[in-house]
């Protein structure tokens, strides 16, 4: 990776506070790293390992060391002092409230010395001297994370790698039946120039609501006739106490149709076949209240040996993070509680966060003291600069004024209008409110005339031509779960009413409501099979009678229409574009989207590569590919077909310009910090292979720069005072930070190009992983900033450089083509593939079948007639 070429100087200098806190660390301390080995290994899994380590800490043999060690309750321990070797501790496994059991499991915990962790290594690395750049600091940093997070891990609930939640001190926010959200804190050690920091941020996560499982089932029954969904209960952890102590179980299935009164099994202890109801009454003196009206649950992993429990003896264990994908209503509720202004988040971190995480000074139970560590409670102040905004330019009309990184387009014509002389309208009728009465509806005629006038005013060619109007009445969704019959009706309507040899420039699809199958189904049909552009409108928004609402909605739709038709919406002033035009340049955007928890196992990832085709940097056609998951990891982030996809984009550029670009700038989205090397090791050679293959006779070696765009970070900024803040207390658009909390050696910066309208605005973290163009800090920072104003679908700067944004949108369009696989709601479908009780070979074969089905659904991908357009916009 290239060294930082220097610091940026452009813009108005200032300072911002950030959620990084200085850590005081002994400069030459030695800590001791140990491996925790628990045997027999096969019986020490999951929650049991954590309980074993609790018992170890309570043992007289380990008691002298407890105050100066930190461990992950599983595999690793770090100590401030050397521990005796060998160190083996016998453990008799008992649950917290379990009386002594002569048959208790026996374990041996061996704590084995691995290495010394010397803080001098980290001090040298943070000095900024290039000779120390290659030092391996990961063991020391991960050890320090273990130490700083020890207090939180003992008292909170860890979710993921560095997030901790404290239900007892957090407000409970209901998201839906059985699901609630807690506020927690992210915490991670970060080395910066001459200062060790800890990055602390507010976070929110969904949890299952604890309580009696039977009562939860009844709550679902009251809300819907279907009862508790299998997807909700799948792998949910519950506890029971009928054995005399608390025992944890994992639900593998709700046994619909099997009740405690009906289900029998052979119990030798009770003399033969008994019902589950009789078993609990006779053995545990428990009279079940819901033996007939609730199904049993199965908590066994073994298909041949099911273990059935009545729901009423089970308690949903507190502190379980919700594993499902939040639905739209849950997501909206989550955004509502998580979307807080900067001042709220800052107060939460400094006050509640430091308390919950155990970072306050002189805390008796803290692990920091014995290691010589302390954390400042003051936010770090770092230099920032406010970059100048570019000036948007249109074909005609008064130049708009940029304010708060946005502008209005009143009485301006777009830079270049597309051609819509032949277009069509499809009314999708489902009997909802707000629908037009049919093709002859007078209100529809007025509606389309207003839309046409908007297109004409914007400069789209042929915007005086009335459209062909079609209407399709969809069948009832009941009995048509994936809306396959409805989509077939639409296909037949389009087939019968559109001439293949005289296709419309685009079809305006008027929908009266949101349906998770209709929209993606139409996109798959028109994008991949029929080869026609579609633009969708939701009628409740398009027919909004409030002042300016319809006008604004139509304006946004016109922006999309013009780009699909090959037009250009706006440009920037000459100086803002100069850095891109000094050489023939192609900008690429790359992204990969992966299946979600609700997808069928075996569903592929989707990769997208978009690239500019001329010096206007407006049109970005896309290449899409399926990417087979790695069955071990289930998702691959590196783009495997990158060579082929890059060749397609270069061919498109050459067709437009009669030559290849001299330089290529790649904005790579979706890559985490730990994957930078993979980009250089896997994707860089594939890009170079494309350069070789596109020009086999004459060597083609464009100068290449690769910039990774990171949004999944936890760095936040606070303005110093009101005059330097936006109306909602955020930093101003154009804020760039490249000192104080950035990488010690690498070329990176945080840029907030957009105006944060809601909550606490997040800058994008740009990291230059490869740079043959030798860009200066000012050139790349201001170029990325001004480029953020070129996003075609809006009249404002966006948070992500448009090429990367387009790649993300293209990936989402690809998801439409596999919608049925990606968005299944049925845990039965998923568990048939991933169920623990099926053999490994069965699961692998089922994944392979799902992947082959995806390949069949994908077909040849985007229709040839759309491939060189922005069909996805």
């Amino acid at each position: 990776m290239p060294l930082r070429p220097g610091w940026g100087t452009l813009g108005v200098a200032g300072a911002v506070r950030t959620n990084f806190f200085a850590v005081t660390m002994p400069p030459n301390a030695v800590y001791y790293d140990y491996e925790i080995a628990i045997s027999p290994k096969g019986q020490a899994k999951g929650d049991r390992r954590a309980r074993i380590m609790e018992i170890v800490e309570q043992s007289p043999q380990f008691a002298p060391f407890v105050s100066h060690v930190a461990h992950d309750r599983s595999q690793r321990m770090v100590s401030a002092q050397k521990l005796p070797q060998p160190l083996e501790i016998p453990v008799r496994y008992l649950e917290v409230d379990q009386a002594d059991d002569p048959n208790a499991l026996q374990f041996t915990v061996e704590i084995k010395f691995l290495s010394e962790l010397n803080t001098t290594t980290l001090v040298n690395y943070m000095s900024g001297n290039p000779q120390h750049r290659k030092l391996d600091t990961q063991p020391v940093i991960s050890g320090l994370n273990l130490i700083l997070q020890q207090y939180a891990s003992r008292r909170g609930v860890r979710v993921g790698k560095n997030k901790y939640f404290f239900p007892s001190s957090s407000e409970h926010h209901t998201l839906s039946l059985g699901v609630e959200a807690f506020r927690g804190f992210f915490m991670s050690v970060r080395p910066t120039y001459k200062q060790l920091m800890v990055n602390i941020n507010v976070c929110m996560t969904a949890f299952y609501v604890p309580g009696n499982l039977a009562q939860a089932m009844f709550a679902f029954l009251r809300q819907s006739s279907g009862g508790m969904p299998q997807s909700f209960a799948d792998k949910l952890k519950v506890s029971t106490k009928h054995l005399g102590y608390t025992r944890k179980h994992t639900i593998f299935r709700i046994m619909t149709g099997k009740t405690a009164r009906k289900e029998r099994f052979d119990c030798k202890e009770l003399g033969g076949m008994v019902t589950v109801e009789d078993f609990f009454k006779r053995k545990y003196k428990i009279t079940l209240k819901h033996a007939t009206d609730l199904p049993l649950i199965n908590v066994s992993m073994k298909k041949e040996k099911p273990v059935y429990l009545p729901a009423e003896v089970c308690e949903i264990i507190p502190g379980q993070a919700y594993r499902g994908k939040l639905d739209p209503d849950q997501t909206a509720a989550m955004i509502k509680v998580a979307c807080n202004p900067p001042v709220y988040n800052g107060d939460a971190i400094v006050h509640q966060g430091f308390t919950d995480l155990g970072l306050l000074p002189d805390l008796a139970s803290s692990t920091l003291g014995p290691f010589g560590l302390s954390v400042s409670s003051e936010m770090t102040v770092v230099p920032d600069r406010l970059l100048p905004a570019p000036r948007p330019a249109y074909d005609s009309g008064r130049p708009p004024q940029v304010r708060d990184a946005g502008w209005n387009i009143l009485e301006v014509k777009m830079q270049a209008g597309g051609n819509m002389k032949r277009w069509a309208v499809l009314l999708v009728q489902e009997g909802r409110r707000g629908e037009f009465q049919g093709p002859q509806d007078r209100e529809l005629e007025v509606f389309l005339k207003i839309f046409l006038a908007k297109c004409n005013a914007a400069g789209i060619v042929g915007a005086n031509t009335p459209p062909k109007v079609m209407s399709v009445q969809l069948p009832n969704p009941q009995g048509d779960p994936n809306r396959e019959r409805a989509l077939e009706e639409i296909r037949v309507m389009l087939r019968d009413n559109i001439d293949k040899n005289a296709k419309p420039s685009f079809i305006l699809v008027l929908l009266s409501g949101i349906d998770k199958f209709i929209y993606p189904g139409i996109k798959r049909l028109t994008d991949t099979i029929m080869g026609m552009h579609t633009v969708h409108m939701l009628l409740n928004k398009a027919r909004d009678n409030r002042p300016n609402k319809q006008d604004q909605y139509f304006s946004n739709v016109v922006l999309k229409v013009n780009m699909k038709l090959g037009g250009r919406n706006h440009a920037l002033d000459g100086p803002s574009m100069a850095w891109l035009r000094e050489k023939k340049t192609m900008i690429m955007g790359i992204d990969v989207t992966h299946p979600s928890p609700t997808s069928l196992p075996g569903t592929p990832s989707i990769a997208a590569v978009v690239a500019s085709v001329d010096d206007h940097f407006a049109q970005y056609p896309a290449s899409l590919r399926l990417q087979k998951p790695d069955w071990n990891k289930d998702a691959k982030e590196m783009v495997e077909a990158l060579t082929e996809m890059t060749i397609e984009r270069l061919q498109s550029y050459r067709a437009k310009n009669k030559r290849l670009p001299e330089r290529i700038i790649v904005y790579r989205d979706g890559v985490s910090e730990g994957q930078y090397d993979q980009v250089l090791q896997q994707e860089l050679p594939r890009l170079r292979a494309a350069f070789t293959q596109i020009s086999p006779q004459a060597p083609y070696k464009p100068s290449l720069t690769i910039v990774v765009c990171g949004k999944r970070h936890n760095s936040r900024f606070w303005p110093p005072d009101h005059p330097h803040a936006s109306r909602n207390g955020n930093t101003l658009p154009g804020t760039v930070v490249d000192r104080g909390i950035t990488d010690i050696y690498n070329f990176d910066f945080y840029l907030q190009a957009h105006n944060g309208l809601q909550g606490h605005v997040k800058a994008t973290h740009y990291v230059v992983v490869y740079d043959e163009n030798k860009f200066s800090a000012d050139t790349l920072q201001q170029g990325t900033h001004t480029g953020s104003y070129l996003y075609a679908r809006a009249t404002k700067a966006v948070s992500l450089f448009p090429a990367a944004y387009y790649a993300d949108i293209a990936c989402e369009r690809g998801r439409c083509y596999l919608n049925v696989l990606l968005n299944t709601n049925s845990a039965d479908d998923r568990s048939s593939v991933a169920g623990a009780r099926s053999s490994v070979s069965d699961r692998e074969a089922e994944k392979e079948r799902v992947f082959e089905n995806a390949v069949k659904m994908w077909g040849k991908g985007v229709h040839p007639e759309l491939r060189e357009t922005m069909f996805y916009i």
Side-chain angles (χ1 to χ4, degrees):
M1 289 173 62
L3 280 166
R4 186 183 299 280
W7 312 106
T9 58
L10 185 68
V12 179
V16 290
R17 290 181 301 135
T18 183
N19 57 341
F20 282 65
F21 300 83
V23 178
T24 302
M25 172 185 72
N28 51 7
V30 176
Y31 305 139
Y32 302 91
D33 203 1
Y34 296 87
E35 177 192 2
I36 300 170
I38 304 176
S39 58
K41 192 175 179 180
Q43 292 180 307
K45 292 182 177 178
D47 293 338
R48 189 174 280 173
R49 292 184 75 90
R51 174 60 187 151
I52 289 169
M53 289 308 297
E54 283 180 11
I55 297 170
V56 166
E57 290 190 334
Q58 293 161 8
S59 71
Q61 191 177 347
F62 195 75
F65 317 126
V66 171
S67 64
H68 59 77
V69 300
H71 58 83
D72 61 4
R73 300 194 293 176
S74 179
Q75 296 173 308
R76 189 183 185 193
M77 180 178 290
V78 176
S79 175
Q81 301 173 22
K82 226 171 188 176
L83 301 178
Q85 291 288 286
L87 182 55
E88 291 188 0
I89 299 160
V91 169
R92 293 184 72 249
Y93 187 86
L94 297 169
E95 295 293 353
V96 177
D97 55 355
Q98 186 176 1
D100 195 18
D101 181 356
N103 299 317
L105 291 171
Q106 306 281 341
F107 294 96
T108 300
V109 178
E110 184 182 3
I111 299 169
K112 298 188 284 190
F113 176 72
L114 289 178
S115 64
E116 292 184 352
L117 302 175
N118 198 318
T119 59
T120 305
T121 305
L122 192 52
V123 171
N124 288 338
Y125 179 80
M126 292 189 298
S127 72
N129 189 330
Q131 75 180 54
H132 297 311
R133 187 186 186 194
K134 298 295 183 184
L135 286 175
D136 182 11
T137 58
Q138 195 279 330
V140 182
I141 290 172
S142 60
L144 288 166
N145 267 320
L146 199 61
I147 297 163
L148 262 75
Q149 295 178 11
Q150 189 67 66
Y151 184 94
S153 69
R154 291 174 188 271
R155 290 161 177 77
V157 176
R158 191 177 83 168
V159 177
K161 195 174 179 182
N162 296 307
K163 294 178 180 177
Y164 293 90
F165 296 84
F166 307 88
S168 60
S169 65
S170 172
E171 290 182 39
H172 296 222
H173 303 280
T174 300
L175 300 184
S176 66
L177 186 58
V179 184
E180 61 187 357
F182 292 145
R183 182 186 69 196
F185 298 94
F186 166 92
M187 174 168 62
S188 180
V189 170
R190 309 287 297 187
T192 65
Y193 180 60
K194 294 191 175 179
Q195 178 63 62
L196 185 67
M197 302 274 198
V198 60
N199 178 205
I200 303 173
N201 195 28
V202 172
C203 53
M204 298 285 288
T205 290
F207 286 83
Y208 293 95
V209 176
N212 184 264
L213 181 62
Q215 295 307 312
M217 284 183 163
F218 279 122
F220 275 101
L221 278 167
R222 286 191 292 272
Q223 182 173 288
S224 66
S225 57
M228 180 179 284
Q230 193 76 46
S231 57
F232 182 92
D234 190 37
K235 296 184 182 175
L236 182 65
K237 290 182 180 180
V238 295
S239 63
T240 59
K241 288 195 172 182
H242 61 272
L243 299 175
Y245 61 91
T246 302
R247 184 170 176 183
K248 296 176 182 178
H249 306 272
T250 300
I251 299 177
F252 283 96
R253 184 163 291 277
I254 297 173
M255 305 308 296
T256 306
K258 291 182 184 286
T259 63
R261 184 162 294 175
K262 287 182 182 178
E263 190 61 25
R264 294 174 169 270
F265 66 101
D266 190 6
C267 178
K268 291 185 174 61
E269 184 185 349
L270 297 180
M273 298 297 289
V274 293
T275 65
V276 173
E277 181 183 27
D278 285 341
F279 174 77
F280 272 84
K281 188 167 188 176
R282 292 165 63 183
K283 177 150 188 174
Y284 299 113
K285 306 295 187 284
I286 295 173
T287 301
L288 299 179
K289 297 176 182 175
H290 304 293
T292 60
D293 53 0
L294 282 180
L296 297 166
I297 60 166
N298 184 8
V299 295
S300 171
M301 293 178 66
K302 298 176 182 176
K303 193 173 184 178
E304 63 282 359
K305 282 190 175 181
V307 175
Y308 296 141
L309 290 174
E312 62 194 271
V313 304
C314 300
E315 297 288 323
I316 298 171
I317 295 173
Q320 288 185 76
Y322 183 65
R323 290 176 312 281
K325 182 181 178 183
L326 296 181
D327 64 31
D329 290 340
Q330 290 170 325
T331 300
M334 176 67 91
I335 290 171
K336 192 173 180 181
V337 298
C339 195
N340 294 307
V343 65
Y344 177 92
N345 289 340
D347 287 345
I349 291 168
V350 172
H351 298 117
Q352 192 67 51
F354 265 65
T355 301
D356 285 348
L357 297 171
L359 301 179
L360 294 171
D362 304 322
L363 191 67
S365 54
S366 173
T367 317
L368 302 186
F371 287 89
L373 301 172
S374 63
V375 181
S376 168
S377 60
E378 295 292 325
M379 283 187 173
T380 299
V381 176
V382 298
D384 81 315
R385 287 170 289 115
L386 195 62
L387 299 177
R391 296 192 308 277
Y394 288 84
D395 184 54
S396 64
R398 191 171 59 188
Q401 294 298 308
V402 174
R403 181 177 294 177
D404 297 330
W407 64 96
N408 289 320
I409 49 170
L410 298 171
E411 299 174 1
V412 297
K413 287 195 182 293
M414 295 181 189
Q415 278 280 327
N419 191 324
M420 63 177 286
K421 280 186 178 176
R422 191 165 52 234
W423 65 297
V425 174
L426 176 65
L427 296 178
V428 178
Q429 307 287 74
E430 298 207 61
R432 293 193 182 104
R433 285 179 58 188
E435 288 182 352
F436 292 109
Q437 298 306 304
Q440 309 305 319
D441 190 335
R442 176 84 179 93
E443 290 186 17
L444 174 62
E445 184 182 340
V446 173
F447 176 89
L448 294 176
K449 279 183 178 177
I450 297 170
F451 175 67
L452 266 179
K454 197 73 182 171
C455 293
N456 187 55
I460 296 180
V461 178
N464 53 1
T465 313
K468 178 185 180 71
V469 181
M470 302 166 284
S471 178
V472 59
Q473 183 69 46
L474 299 189
N476 195 305
Q478 288 187 342
D480 187 18
N482 293 342
R483 304 304 302 270
E484 289 175 3
R485 281 172 36 223
L487 290 167
E488 177 61 15
E489 294 275 352
I490 293 169
R491 187 191 70 80
V492 170
M493 170 62 65
L494 295 177
R495 181 199 66 190
D496 292 349
N497 286 275
I498 288 175
D499 182 351
K500 283 192 297 185
N501 300 313
K503 292 179 182 176
S505 56
F506 74 97
I507 302 171
L508 181 65
V509 181
L510 301 180
L511 300 172
S512 58
I514 296 172
D515 182 291
K516 66 180 182 180
F517 295 107
I518 297 300
Y519 173 86
I522 292 174
K523 289 298 184 186
R524 177 174 177 264
L525 176 66
T526 55
D527 284 3
T528 69
I529 298 169
M530 307 186 87
M532 296 183 294
H533 288 298
T534 52
V535 177
H536 290 65
M537 283 189 187
L538 268 175
L539 288 176
N540 64 331
K541 294 183 177 180
R543 301 184 77 181
D544 193 330
N545 292 323
R546 289 177 295 173
N548 299 322
K549 289 292 184 181
Q550 185 182 67
D551 183 72
Q552 185 61 55
Y553 188 81
F554 280 176
S555 293
N556 291 335
V557 173
V558 168
L559 295 176
K560 293 168 70 172
V561 168
N562 195 48
M563 296 308 292
K564 285 176 187 280
L565 299 180
R568 297 194 312 275
N569 289 351
H570 66 274
L572 301 179
D573 60 281
S576 296
M577 299 295 291
W579 78 290
L580 291 175
R581 290 174 176 163
E582 62 186 29
K583 288 184 180 179
K584 297 296 286 185
T585 301
M586 183 172 87
I587 298 179
M588 291 174 63
I590 303 174
D591 195 15
V592 180
T593 185
H594 302 296
S596 72
T598 61
S599 305
L600 289 178
T603 301
S605 300
I606 297 166
V609 175
V610 305
S612 60
V613 293
D614 55 33
D615 292 346
H616 299 295
F617 302 97
Q619 284 288 323
Y620 283 79
S623 295
L624 294 177
R625 292 291 188 280
L626 294 183
Q627 192 151 295
K628 189 171 185 176
D630 179 333
W631 289 163
N632 296 319
K633 301 172 189 168
D634 281 340
K636 291 178 185 170
E637 184 55 50
M638 298 303 112
V639 180
E640 293 186 333
L642 185 56
T643 298
E644 180 186 343
M645 299 165 84
T646 302
I647 289 171
E648 289 178 2
R649 295 302 98 230
L650 286 167
Q651 287 171 336
S652 182
Y653 186 96
R654 184 165 59 184
K656 287 265 187 184
N657 300 275
K658 311 305 178 194
R659 57 170 295 176
L660 292 168
E662 295 172 62
R663 63 179 182 178
I664 295 173
I665 305 169
V666 176
Y667 283 87
R668 177 63 163 95
D669 194 18
V671 172
S672 68
E673 193 174 344
Q675 295 173 319
Y676 297 161
D677 284 343
Q678 290 182 45
V679 172
L680 297 175
Q681 292 162 10
Q682 297 180 41
E683 294 191 340
L684 177 58
R686 290 167 188 162
L687 289 165
R688 285 176 171 158
F691 304 157
T692 301
Q693 293 175 33
I694 192 76
S695 181
Q697 277 77 39
Y700 173 57
K701 293 184 178 179
S703 54
L704 176 66
T705 295
I706 304 174
V707 184
V708 170
C709 317
K711 290 290 285 182
R712 293 184 180 178
H713 61 79
N714 284 277
S715 305
R716 299 292 185 275
F717 302 104
W718 283 257
D721 49 39
H722 286 297
H724 295 91
S726 67
R727 279 180 290 183
N728 59 0
N730 275 302
T731 44
L732 296 170
T735 296
V736 65
V737 172
D738 65 357
R739 300 177 189 234
I741 63 163
T742 47
D743 196 273
I744 300 163
Y745 301 97
N746 298 329
F747 184 7
D748 71 326
F749 57 92
Y750 291 90
L751 171 66
Q752 179 210 325
H754 65 302
N755 188 28
L757 298 177
Q758 286 186 311
H760 197 167
V761 69
K762 184 195 289 191
T764 299
H765 186 207
Y766 292 97
V767 182
V768 183
V769 297
Y770 192 75
D771 186 27
E772 292 177 336
N773 290 298
K774 304 288 188 250
F775 286 120
S776 70
D778 277 336
T779 299
L780 198 58
Q781 289 171 13
Q782 177 65 349
T784 302
H785 172 233
T786 57
S788 300
Y789 284 71
L790 276 172
Y791 181 63
R793 249 168 52 169
T795 55
K796 61 183 179 181
V798 288
S799 62
L800 184 63
F801 192 84
Y805 207 149
Y806 293 147
D808 178 77
I809 297 170
C811 280
E812 288 304 308
R813 176 56 58 85
R815 292 177 73 90
C816 290
Y817 311 154
L818 304 181
N819 182 58
V820 175
L821 301 179
L822 282 161
N823 294 312
T824 177
N825 271 340
S826 170
D828 293 330
D829 288 344
R830 292 196 300 279
S831 59
S832 69
V833 180
R837 296 182 299 280
S838 58
S839 70
V840 172
S841 60
D842 285 348
R843 295 200 298 272
E844 296 306 302
E846 187 62 20
K847 284 181 177 179
E848 195 65 47
R849 187 193 67 77
V850 170
F851 178 75
E852 288 170 3
N853 188 26
V855 171
K856 185 178 177 183
M857 291 177 68
W858 188 267
K860 294 180 180 178
V862 178
H863 194 280
E865 292 181 36
L866 298 186
R867 284 178 192 164
E868 297 309 318
T869 72
M870 293 181 76
F871 63 90
Y872 58 87
I873 197 73

